[in-house]
Amino acid sequence: LNFHNSNEVLDWHNHMSSFHGYISIDPKSTTTIFKEYEVKNEIGNIYIGPGYLFHKVKVDEDYSSPRITIGFDVTDEVQLRPETFSLIPI
């Protein structure tokens, strides 16, 4: 769960999984910037793409209540890492 004020949005990062995605619950006026393209975030939109792509969030208009998205990673490889409880095979 991403729950950020306008000065806390995510800077450049990527994911170790095969695929990454997010669901926009209350994304405010923001854009997710990838090196190759941009995604204008809107309530209810779901993004899924390669996990290795670097991306960040750009605040298009300042906001006063938290921006809320649900991020997720999807992999088709078994990755058993005892230090992490967030990756559970289903």
Side-chain angles (χ1 to χ4, degrees), residues 5-52:
N5 292 316
S6 62
N7 64 337
E8 301 171 323
V9 297
L10 298 170
D11 203 0
W12 289 109
H13 69 283
N14 69 345
H15 299 260
M16 299 295 289
S17 59
S18 303
F19 301 95
H20 162 70
Y22 61 92
I23 303 166
S24 294
I25 304 301
D26 187 4
K28 307 302 183 191
S29 181
T30 60
T31 302
T32 301
I33 308 292
F34 293 83
K35 302 250 183 209
E36 297 82 8
Y37 54 92
E38 299 182 358
V39 175
K40 177 69 178 154
N41 297 310
E42 297 175 333
I43 292 173
N45 280 2
I46 299 172
Y47 165 84
I48 188 166
Y52 63 85

Side-chain angles (χ1 to χ4, degrees), residues 70-86:
I70 298 173
F72 57 89
D73 292 330
V74 177
T75 184
D76 55 0
E77 302 171 15
V78 175
Q79 297 177 345
L80 300 177
R81 297 186 297 198
E83 72 277 5
T84 265
F85 293 128
S86 64

